[in-house]
Amino acid sequence: MTETQRITKAVIPAAGLGTRFLPATKAMPKEMLPVVDKPAIQYVVAEAAKAGLSDVLMITGRSKRALEDHFDRVPSLEKVLADKGDDEKLRLIQEATELGEIHYVRQGDPRGLGHAVLRAKRHVGDDPFAVLLGDDLIDERDELLSEMIRVQQETGGSVIALMEVDPSQVGSYGCADVTPVDGQDYVKVNRLVEKPKPEEAPSNLAVIGRYVLHPSVFEVLERTEPGRGDEVQLTDALQELASSEEIGGGVHAVVFRGRRYDTGDKLSYIQAVISLASERHDIGDRLVPWLKEFVADLDR
Ligand code: UTP
């Protein structure tokens, strides 16, 4: 085992333009879209807290107010609910303020995910850290981040999360060429390609929005030129780390087989809301029979 540094910091980029969700995201970050009754980003901050990452740095964009306000206390609303004796709702609004210490830094111009992560350099310093994309949800019943932290501590390098997707879908993701590691439940990443054409894809293993990174990623990002879409791509920096172990100890990956919900895209957002609502004890019992009837009616 290599020398390890405890991981305590999570970086959550939420500064993208969210153009796939316009006009809903004209004045509000897509990370604030409600998934049943909580904004998507609250699930992500809760996931970080559950994995022991209580120091969160959020990278915000042009409409950061909604994000900051959501994780801040609202004494006037708390007082109204307390006066009414509505302890349940009081608990619900306080939940978001008790997840950890949340810091904010502005990205300014959204010049890509790599550029957003680079904004965390000063806050993170010299220790490995996690990155959780604010529009990518991992079901709380499935373990991913804690597994990735364990693999980072074992390998000393960087760790990404991969998921098998239909080969026709690889062009929407970063894609990885991997080899198994003897006796281990993780794989070694040899090469990464951002949004490849299906015929150029090295596999059907897609990069999803969880990373545990060696701090050397910052020096690589500083010299990473804008790539696909004229944006500084995190995948390009990770490709450099994967190709030369001397810089940051290489890149490994955990292949996730659990439930993931992408809330950055209209169709998958709606699927996420329906899946999670169906399983909620407060509305699932009424939603599921209604859904069955609704679908049966569509077929008639
Ligand atoms: P996406 O590519 O999904 O976000 O970035 P986007 O650019 O906002 O989406 P569309 O394509 O225009 O609809 C993945 C994550 O990285 C963040 C986003 O907020 C999202 O959480 N991001 C992306 C930044 O923080 N800054 C950027 O410059 C780009």
Side-chain angles (χ1 to χ4, degrees):
M1 218 205 252
T2 39
E3 198 184 321
T4 57
Q5 294 127 307
R6 212 165 78 82
I7 301 175
T8 56
K9 289 180 182 158
V11 173
I12 304 186
L17 292 177
T19 55
R20 280 168 295 165
F21 240 117
L22 284 168
T25 47
K26 187 177 168 197
M28 175 180 82
K30 68 175 163 184
E31 289 79 3
M32 282 301 295
L33 288 167
V35 177
V36 190
D37 54 5
K38 277 186 281 196
I41 197 150
Q42 187 174 333
Y43 293 84
V44 177
V45 176
E47 181 192 337
K50 190 175 156 220
L53 311 175
S54 52
D55 177 334
V56 171
L57 177 70
M58 223 171 259
I59 316 292
T60 60
R62 68 192 191 294
S63 35
K64 68 165 188 168
R65 266 292 295 278
L67 282 165
E68 288 198 12
D69 285 352
H70 183 73
F71 291 99
D72 204 356
R73 294 197 44 199
V74 194
S76 54
L77 181 56
E78 286 180 20
K79 185 173 180 318
V80 171
L81 295 172
D83 288 350
K84 276 200 211 162
D86 196 340
D87 294 343
E88 171 61 8
K89 296 220 177 61
L90 190 58
R91 188 186 62 74
L92 287 175
I93 65 158
Q94 285 172 339
E95 220 172 72
T97 62
E98 288 164 0
L99 290 171
E101 198 185 325
I102 305 185
H103 308 266
Y104 300 89
V105 62
R106 276 305 257 267
Q107 187 181 5
D109 237 4
R111 286 165 46 202
L113 178 58
H115 181 253
V117 171
L118 186 53
R119 299 290 293 124
K121 181 181 176 193
R122 188 192 293 241
H123 184 86
V124 166
D126 286 332
D127 293 331
F129 63 104
V131 175
L132 294 86
L133 299 195
D135 59 350
D136 215 345
L137 309 192
I138 299 296
D139 197 297
E140 62 179 358
R141 294 161 294 185
D142 297 321
E143 283 302 323
L144 175 59
L145 198 52
S146 53
E147 285 289 297
M148 296 174 72
I149 291 172
R150 177 185 60 79
V151 175
Q152 197 287 327
Q153 304 278 283
E154 265 179 54
T155 62
S158 294
V159 182
I160 62 172
L162 298 172
M163 223 174 158
E164 275 187 49
V165 296
D166 189 274
S168 63
Q169 300 293 307
V170 281
S172 312
Y173 295 89
C175 182
D177 171 16
V178 302
T179 40
V181 178
D182 259 357
Q184 299 296 348
D185 53 358
Y186 53 85
V187 294
K188 167 127 188 56
V189 177
N190 308 312
R191 190 164 65 94
L192 286 164
V193 197
E194 181 63 21
K195 301 195 168 73
K197 296 195 184 103
E199 63 276 17
E200 288 164 8
S203 72
N204 67 335
L205 290 170
V207 179
I208 59 169
R210 297 293 179 271
Y211 308 80
V212 180
L213 301 176
H214 188 278
S216 62
V217 72
F218 293 126
E219 72 175 76
V220 177
L221 281 169
E222 271 165 347
R223 56 182 145 82
T224 301
E225 294 290 330
R228 230 194 130 85
D230 206 24
E231 294 193 337
V232 179
Q233 298 289 352
L234 181 60
T235 306
D236 291 345
L238 291 172
Q239 158 58 23
E240 188 171 334
L241 290 178
S243 66
S244 140
E245 282 191 25
E246 279 103 73
I247 316 173
V251 180
H252 291 84
V254 170
V255 180
F256 180 60
R257 302 188 201 281
R259 290 154 282 197
R260 165 186 177 258
Y261 313 98
D262 175 6
T263 64
D265 167 78
K266 272 182 269 204
L267 175 63
S268 51
Y269 167 79
I270 291 168
Q271 290 167 332
V273 173
I274 294 175
S275 308
L276 288 168
S278 304
E279 291 167 1
R280 281 264 301 250
H281 65 83
D282 55 344
I283 46 175
D285 292 353
R286 282 167 292 152
L287 176 64
V288 173
W290 176 83
L291 263 178
K292 286 183 181 159
E293 234 172 83
F294 180 74
V295 172
D297 274 352
L298 290 179
D299 288 341
R300 259 175 223 140

